Amino acid sequence: MAIYHLSAKIISRGKGRNAVAAAAYRRAEKLFDERYNRTWNYENKLGVVHSEISLPENSPTWTNDINAEKLWNLVEKSEKRIDSQLAREIEFSLPVELNQEQGIKLARNFIQEQFVAREMIADWNVHWDNPENPHVHVLLTMRELTESGFGQKVVDWNHKSLLFSWRSKWAEYANLHLKLHQHQTRIDHRSYKDQGIDLTPTVHRGRVSEEMQHRGISTDRKNEIDEIKAANLKRILENPELLAKKIFQSIENHESVFSNQELSKAVLTYASNKTEFDSAMESLKTSKDLIYLGTGEDGREKYTTRRMFDLENNIQKIADKMQKQPHIKISEHEIQKALEKYQIKIGARLTDEQRTAVNHVMSQDSISCVVGRAGTGKSFSLGAANAVWKSKRLKVYGIALMGVAASGLSKSADIESSTIESFRFSVEQGIIKLSPRDVIVMDEAGMTDSIAMEAVLNAVYQSKAKLVLVGDHAQLQPVGPGATFRALIERIGFAEIQTLFRQESEWQREATKEFSKGLTRAGIEKYQKHGFVHFEKSENDAMQKLAEHWNVKNSIVLAHRNKDVNELNHLLRQKRIDQQEISEGHAVNSRNGEINLSQGDKILFLKNDKRLGVKNGNFAEITHVRFSETGKVLNFTATLDNDKSREITIDPQAYHHFSYGYAATVHKSQGATINNTFVYLGGRGWNKSLTYVAMSRHKENCHVYADQNTHKTIESLKNNVNRKAHKDSVLDYPLAFCDRRRINTENLLQKLPEYIVEKFSKIRENIRTRFLQIETSSQIKTEFNSAQPAPLTTVLKKYVNYELEQEKLIRLAGTLKFKDPAQSKIYFEEYIENKIVINNLTQEIAKRPDIQDNIQAIKNNAPVKLQEVGGFSAINERFSKNQFDIRDAQALITEIRGKITEHNVAQTPRLAISNSYQKHRTNL
């Protein structure tokens, strides 16, 4: 588990230290010391995996050929006093969750921007002798640089405020890189005291101390660490809330629901033997802030914190209140009038699905949800909705997690947009004052975590404005805690836009549908069948094949790992150089280190900058490069891919957050539409969501490249990309169910949730039995008059009952998949048998004469979708209250018709279904 450690000290001659010796030791090299006429040789030292000297921009010419030996001999020569301060050393620990390449990149990023940017020369070395304690030693010069050597000491670098800033910044940099690489761990630069945690932090332990311990030699450092751990453990056992507070603060940065595994890892830090570990775990699980939720779909016991439990339930409570809080009414006539004007202006018409979505968000509810699958024209629908709101003189704000998504919403839907964080800040500071005449549209809502969602909901509810959430919960998941969008649409309903327009080929549109439904294997198989999956022997072969097929025009290469993105960027750029499309270019410092740029190069911006007008995730093409006599880039101009009319000039000294833009991570591509994509399936970190996003960006074609070293066979590849990606929400568990229904949970928190599941299962069973009794009664009545079929309502109740049973069976099968495989199999077999019964039932319903009247009604009016009336559970609830109406019937018949079409039943002679209806359904 990542730990926070950053310390600073001075290499001082007054304490008998020597700069050349210090550098030699940290580099594990042999360096000659001119002052003492001796060689410091530490070449036998192990574990130094990387050494580098980083120079400031526009350094004097004497630094051009500088190396460690020259640098530190010059420092020694520049210092005359017997007690001179020679260098400053900064030492910090790298997160163990990152690999060597990722750790080095993180260190370079931090050192470059925090030290070198202040005109210090940094000689830094990464030590990886212990995989549990990777760390970095940075030796920094202390004098200003002049053309003749070192000048005056820079007093400002000695201020404590600067050290405090570095400590804080290191936590920010480390947490950002952990988040980028999908790790939930976070570090905190604050002391335990500042965090309100009454524990003593452990001290850093070096390799020498560890080696002595392995040889059975006791050391003062080891004894000190053991004493601190023992003292902390004693405090924890006396007051388990101390450990709970520390652990929960860390976990809540990424997850709202977690398992025993995360708790165990944290406790291991404080326990030195099994007895202490067991005692600490037992104490931790009695914490009032830890709530046991039950068994998850993966078979593991799941927990949440009191804070996340309250937060996610509060989100649902606010959403419920917003549904009851009416917003400004817009009449049907006003909606249709505004839409007609918009369609004439754009020169395109909304589909029935898109029109339904627009009508859904025009309801008086203060909160509405739209699920827009990839490539379905979601932005076009939002543009239409915006036209209606503007016709009523309402103020519309657009917000999104990422700047590039906000920029896309501004451009495609003409909605003035910003990031969620920027919006929250503006509201909190009073820059934006929301009113009942405001509408807030959140795009890519599936990526918004619970903490941000609660803040937005609160702000909108308090101001009596309206919130529209738009997203796709099957795409990329939130980096932060929770799966709020999915939980909300299950709670309050939604309109869905499913008809695909992005892909030109019918089979590719079908594949995208399968990806969106989580049928990832089936989607990959379609691409394999059509020859778009390229399976090579090695990673290098796969990349070479990709480069062979790739063309820079209107295309993008996507990968999951940054390592693969970097390799592909350099490989593809070299191909362009070999084909004489671009030149070798000139050197410039980017966020990823020194790279070469030339006219025609593709770049990717990695940070928002209002002054330049660029967003994190914008791609651009370089139109001109201006460089110095030494070959260094002074500045360059570029045009953004999404706005070719505007040319911007970049000064690398002021803004260096860019990289090559031939390949990018899947996260950078969400929301983008590109003619052709080339997807490299390197690494085993792929899942359903990543695959869905990567393989739904294209309009024309998508090629997939993989290797046998990573995926042994094609079947292994399909399994690897088919892993579940959805996060758990507190709201998925029975305890939250009780809380939302005002059932006193205080006495239930310490009880097994299986008890709660059992109780609610019995309630559902009673409902089911009552429906069966009603159906049986109806059947008895119809036996006396065989010419009169059972009422349509009764038959539809039967259909709903079977669908609810299916939901129960698949949930039980998933829950017991690992815990009780045999019972899980029984449930799954029942699910298959039930599916056959449902198929037969749909055929029986289709034969009924009274169905045709309903089909005609659906034909004449836009069909009501199941989600619009709240799903099977909501219909079931209306059954029990005798509130079943024609909209429920239409929604169920629409769902049944879909099943008939899926199983090719519609073409059988016994079904009297009009061709005009089939054509109407196909057009939908």
Side-chain angles (χ1 to χ4, degrees):
M1 189 172 183
I3 62 169
Y4 181 88
H5 169 71
L6 185 145
S7 62
K9 59 185 177 185
I10 299 296
I11 306 293
S12 172
R13 189 179 288 162
K15 294 183 179 180
R17 307 292 298 280
N18 178 282
V20 180
Y25 180 79
R26 284 150 185 77
R27 287 175 152 266
E29 292 179 1
K30 180 168 64 174
L31 301 181
F32 180 73
D33 186 341
E34 297 173 2
R35 178 182 176 86
Y36 292 99
N37 193 30
R38 62 162 296 181
T39 297
W40 302 98
N41 189 353
Y42 295 99
E43 290 180 325
N44 291 330
K45 177 178 167 58
L46 302 176
V48 181
V49 298
H50 182 82
S51 296
E52 183 175 327
I53 292 179
S54 298
L55 299 172
E57 286 285 340
N58 302 316
S59 293
T61 54
W62 59 265
T63 63
N64 290 348
D65 60 347
I66 200 73
N67 58 33
E69 189 172 81
K70 290 181 180 179
L71 173 63
W72 298 111
N73 272 302
L74 184 58
V75 167
E76 285 281 352
K77 191 181 296 183
S78 302
E79 301 295 343
K80 308 300 182 184
R81 293 168 56 95
I82 195 171
D83 59 349
S84 291
Q85 294 183 339
L86 304 169
R88 177 178 288 103
E89 180 181 26
I90 305 292
E91 180 186 330
F92 53 87
S93 294
L94 293 171
V96 295
E97 288 78 6
L98 303 182
N99 61 33
Q100 285 190 14
E101 181 184 6
Q102 293 164 352
I104 291 169
K105 183 177 178 181
L106 163 59
R108 180 184 292 113
N109 192 195
F110 177 64
I111 292 165
Q112 188 71 37
E113 296 183 6
Q114 295 302 313
F115 306 132
V116 180
R118 287 183 165 85
E119 303 297 319
M120 305 176 195
I121 296 178
D123 181 1
W124 55 282
N125 309 275
V126 180
H127 290 198
W128 215 288
D129 46 324
N130 181 350
E132 296 181 1
N133 182 30
H135 56 280
V136 180
H137 293 272
V138 189
L139 291 179
L140 301 168
T141 55
M142 303 180 71
R143 292 180 177 271
E144 63 180 3
L145 301 178
T146 69
E147 285 299 328
S148 58
F150 287 107
Q152 298 295 315
K153 284 277 178 75
V154 183
V155 179
D156 289 345
W157 295 344
N158 295 327
H159 289 169
K160 283 188 177 181
S161 60
L162 185 56
L163 176 58
F164 292 151
S165 172
W166 287 337
R167 288 182 56 81
S168 171
K169 288 293 183 183
W170 170 240
E172 291 179 16
Y173 277 73
N175 288 335
L176 173 62
H177 281 250
L178 284 165
K179 184 183 289 189
L180 289 173
H181 296 292
Q182 308 300 303
H183 295 293
Q184 67 178 27
T185 305
R186 297 294 181 268
I187 62 176
D188 196 320
H189 72 285
R190 294 174 300 167
S191 67
Y192 282 173
K193 182 179 179 181
D194 290 340
Q195 296 178 56
I197 301 173
D198 186 22
L199 295 174
T200 305
T202 56
V203 296
H204 177 69
R205 187 176 174 194
R207 181 178 60 84
V208 175
S209 174
E210 290 176 351
E211 289 179 350
M212 292 176 71
Q213 181 196 350
H214 291 318
R215 296 198 300 269
I217 303 172
S218 179
T219 64
D220 291 341
R221 179 60 60 90
K222 171 65 167 58
N223 294 337
E224 183 183 359
I225 292 173
D226 288 345
E227 288 174 7
I228 292 173
K229 288 178 69 173
N232 284 339
L233 184 61
K234 183 180 178 182
R235 291 177 188 169
I236 289 166
L237 295 178
E238 292 172 352
N239 183 7
E241 299 307 314
L242 293 175
L243 182 61
K245 188 169 185 178
K246 181 180 185 332
I247 292 173
F248 298 159
Q249 283 178 355
S250 174
I251 294 177
E252 287 170 351
N253 286 323
H254 193 70
E255 300 289 351
S256 63
V257 176
F258 49 92
S259 69
N260 209 56
Q261 188 175 9
E262 283 78 21
L263 294 175
S264 299
K265 284 182 180 178
V267 172
L268 282 171
T269 307
Y270 299 93
S272 56
N273 57 56
K274 187 177 186 302
T275 303
E276 292 178 349
F277 174 82
D278 291 341
S279 180
M281 283 293 288
E282 184 179 351
S283 298
L284 182 65
K285 288 184 179 180
T286 62
S287 167
K288 68 179 187 299
D289 289 327
L290 183 71
I291 298 176
Y292 176 47
L293 293 174
T295 304
E297 289 185 12
D298 58 1
R300 293 180 177 179
E301 294 180 323
K302 299 292 184 177
Y303 303 87
T304 189
T305 64
R306 167 60 65 182
R307 174 173 174 258
M308 294 310 302
F309 182 85
D310 292 342
L311 185 147
E312 294 205 359
N313 274 283
N314 189 45
I315 287 173
Q316 290 286 23
K317 289 173 184 175
I318 298 172
D320 289 346
K321 290 177 183 177
M322 291 178 73
Q323 279 193 298
K324 298 172 185 175
Q325 179 174 278
H327 196 247
I328 292 169
K329 184 177 180 179
I330 306 177
S331 70
E332 181 66 25
H333 173 71
E334 290 173 311
I335 294 172
Q336 296 308 318
K337 184 178 178 182
L339 288 181
E340 282 302 319
K341 284 185 178 180
Y342 176 76
Q343 291 176 139
I344 293 170
K345 177 183 176 182
I346 298 298
R349 300 197 68 79
L350 294 163
T351 65
D352 289 341
E353 260 185 353
Q354 292 168 340
R355 186 179 287 268
T356 299
V358 173
N359 287 334
H360 179 72
V361 301
M362 292 302 147
S363 71
Q364 273 194 280
D365 290 351
S366 290
I367 182 169
S368 302
C369 297
V370 175
V371 174
R373 301 300 185 185
T376 56
K378 173 190 63 177
S379 298
F380 179 51
S381 305
L382 289 178
N386 186 37
V388 178
W389 287 319
K390 284 186 174 179
S391 72
K392 287 287 290 184
R393 293 184 172 83
L394 301 181
K395 173 66 177 174
V396 184
Y397 296 93
I399 58 175
L401 181 70
M402 299 184 297
V404 68
S407 179
L409 187 61
S410 298
K411 184 177 180 182
S412 59
D414 193 29
I415 298 175
E416 182 183 342
S417 305
S418 63
T419 63
I420 293 174
E421 283 303 311
S422 176
F423 174 78
R424 286 174 58 186
F425 177 81
S426 297
V427 172
E428 289 167 4
Q429 298 298 314
I431 300 169
I432 293 177
K433 295 181 180 179
L434 297 177
S435 75
R437 295 194 61 79
D438 292 337
V439 177
I440 293 84
V441 178
M442 181 189 290
D443 198 11
E444 304 292 0
M447 296 179 68
T448 305
D449 63 42
S450 297
I451 296 171
M453 186 68 79
E454 186 195 38
V456 172
L457 281 167
N458 261 322
V460 177
Y461 173 64
Q462 295 297 333
S463 63
K464 297 183 179 180
K466 181 182 179 76
L467 177 65
V468 177
L469 303 174
V470 185
D472 184 355
H473 53 287
Q475 294 192 49
L476 298 180
Q477 301 299 292
V479 174
T484 316
F485 180 64
R486 175 174 60 80
L488 281 172
I489 62 176
E490 290 173 359
R491 176 71 173 166
I492 65 177
F494 58 96
E496 184 170 14
I497 310 174
Q498 299 186 69
T499 305
L500 296 167
F501 298 101
R502 183 176 289 163
Q503 283 79 47
E504 296 176 354
S505 301
E506 177 63 28
W507 70 266
Q508 291 188 8
R509 290 197 292 271
E510 289 299 320
T512 301
K513 286 180 185 177
E514 287 169 337
F515 287 130
S516 73
K517 295 175 182 177
L519 305 174
T520 312
R521 290 177 59 89
I524 291 287
E525 283 167 0
K526 278 188 168 56
Y527 280 87
Q528 181 188 358
K529 177 182 175 182
H530 287 81
F532 285 87
V533 176
H534 309 277
F535 201 49
E536 307 299 324
K537 288 185 178 181
S538 67
E539 291 187 3
N540 183 62
D541 291 342
M543 287 188 179
Q544 291 294 339
K545 178 66 72 173
L546 185 154
E548 179 185 326
H549 292 166
W550 172 80
N551 188 306
V552 69
K553 190 175 181 181
N554 295 322
S555 69
I556 186 66
V557 175
L558 298 176
H560 175 47
R561 299 182 300 187
N562 284 307
K563 162 182 173 290
D564 298 330
V565 170
N566 291 337
E567 287 185 32
L568 287 164
N569 266 323
H570 284 89
L571 179 64
L572 300 175
R573 186 175 189 272
Q574 189 58 49
K575 177 182 177 179
R576 296 196 69 197
I577 293 171
D578 295 342
Q579 293 178 346
Q580 298 184 346
E581 295 176 8
I582 59 174
S583 67
E584 287 282 356
H586 303 276
V588 62
N589 282 329
S590 72
R591 202 183 77 170
N592 295 332
E594 188 173 271
I595 62 174
N596 280 11
L597 291 181
S598 75
Q599 182 178 339
D601 255 322
K602 297 284 289 183
I603 60 171
L604 170 65
F605 292 109
L606 303 172
K607 186 178 181 181
N608 297 346
D609 191 300
K610 288 185 178 180
R611 182 181 57 84
L612 293 172
V614 300
K615 302 284 187 182
N616 180 6
N618 281 155
F619 290 88
E621 181 175 339
I622 295 177
T623 56
H624 180 71
V625 177
R626 180 169 169 261
F627 52 94
S628 66
E629 293 179 359
T630 61
K632 281 275 188 179
V633 172
L634 299 174
N635 57 49
F636 61 88
T637 56
T639 56
L640 297 174
D641 283 5
N642 62 352
D643 187 4
K644 297 286 188 183
S645 63
R646 190 169 65 90
E647 194 171 63
I648 56 176
T649 300
I650 308 294
D651 177 1
Q653 292 187 31
Y655 181 94
H656 64 277
H657 301 276
F658 53 83
S659 65
Y660 290 132
Y662 302 106
T665 60
V666 179
H667 281 77
K668 294 293 186 187
S669 72
Q670 176 142 344
T673 300
I674 302 140
N675 282 7
N676 295 282
T677 57
F678 299 81
V679 180
Y680 175 63
L681 295 177
R684 297 178 62 84
W686 287 82
N687 56 42
K688 291 176 184 284
S689 294
L690 284 166
T691 308
Y692 172 29
V693 173
M695 300 194 67
S696 60
R697 302 301 94 205
H698 64 287
K699 291 196 295 185
E700 297 175 7
N701 289 307
C702 174
H703 288 266
V704 180
Y705 301 83
D707 65 273
Q708 295 176 20
N709 289 339
T710 306
H711 318 279
K712 299 298 181 185
T713 63
I714 286 286
E715 287 304 309
S716 297
L717 182 151
K718 293 173 188 173
N719 290 335
N720 290 341
V721 300
N722 196 44
R723 283 193 283 260
K724 178 191 169 188
H726 289 170
K727 285 191 169 189
D728 276 352
S729 167
V730 169
L731 305 166
D732 296 328
Y733 293 83
L735 215 55
F737 180 88
C738 295
D739 187 79
R740 293 199 303 277
R741 284 153 183 77
R742 296 188 176 88
I743 298 172
N744 184 0
T745 60
E746 290 303 317
N747 296 326
L748 297 174
L749 295 183
Q750 303 304 324
K751 296 181 181 180
L752 293 176
E754 281 77 11
Y755 171 79
I756 304 166
V757 175
E758 181 185 350
K759 289 293 182 186
F760 284 102
S761 295
K762 287 181 179 178
I763 293 171
R764 176 173 281 184
E765 186 64 26
N766 290 337
I767 295 171
R768 190 178 76 86
T769 303
R770 188 163 77 247
F771 284 161
L772 286 175
Q773 288 170 348
I774 293 170
E775 290 163 11
T776 304
S777 174
S778 299
Q779 288 170 2
I780 292 171
K781 291 177 182 177
T782 56
E783 284 177 2
F784 295 103
N785 183 10
S786 57
Q788 181 181 357
L792 177 60
T793 301
T794 301
V795 180
L796 292 179
K797 284 180 180 179
K798 189 175 182 179
Y799 173 77
V800 168
N801 178 63
Y802 275 115
E803 289 288 4
L804 289 172
E805 185 68 8
Q806 289 294 78
E807 178 189 332
K808 174 183 174 183
L809 289 170
I810 200 64
R811 176 175 56 80
L812 290 171
T815 301
L816 297 174
K817 185 176 180 181
F818 298 96
K819 197 173 184 179
D820 190 347
Q823 186 62 43
S824 175
K825 185 178 180 182
I826 292 171
Y827 284 132
F828 188 74
E829 287 171 352
E830 288 183 35
Y831 172 83
I832 297 299
E833 291 172 6
N834 238 21
K835 193 170 184 180
I836 295 170
V837 174
I838 288 175
N839 290 343
N840 293 334
L841 182 59
T842 58
Q843 295 181 47
E844 291 174 14
I845 292 174
K847 290 189 295 183
R848 295 175 59 93
D850 51 351
I851 282 289
Q852 301 307 312
D853 295 335
N854 285 278
I855 290 177
Q856 190 62 38
I858 296 172
K859 178 183 175 183
N860 295 335
N861 304 289
V864 180
K865 299 297 180 68
L866 185 65
Q867 58 268 19
E868 294 178 42
V869 295
F872 292 112
S873 297
I875 294 175
N876 195 10
E877 188 175 357
R878 287 193 286 276
F879 275 156
S880 64
K881 296 178 181 178
N882 293 319
Q883 295 175 349
F884 184 86
D885 60 24
I886 188 62
R887 293 185 78 246
D888 293 315
Q890 289 186 356
L892 290 176
I893 292 168
T894 302
E895 195 77 4
I896 292 166
R897 297 306 311 159
K899 282 189 168 56
I900 294 171
T901 304
E902 288 173 11
H903 296 284
N904 298 317
V905 181
Q907 296 179 359
T908 58
R910 59 183 176 177
L911 299 180
I913 300 173
S914 66
N915 290 332
S916 61
Y917 172 71
Q918 289 293 348
K919 183 178 180 181
H920 174 71
R921 180 172 175 79
T922 303
N923 290 338
L924 291 177

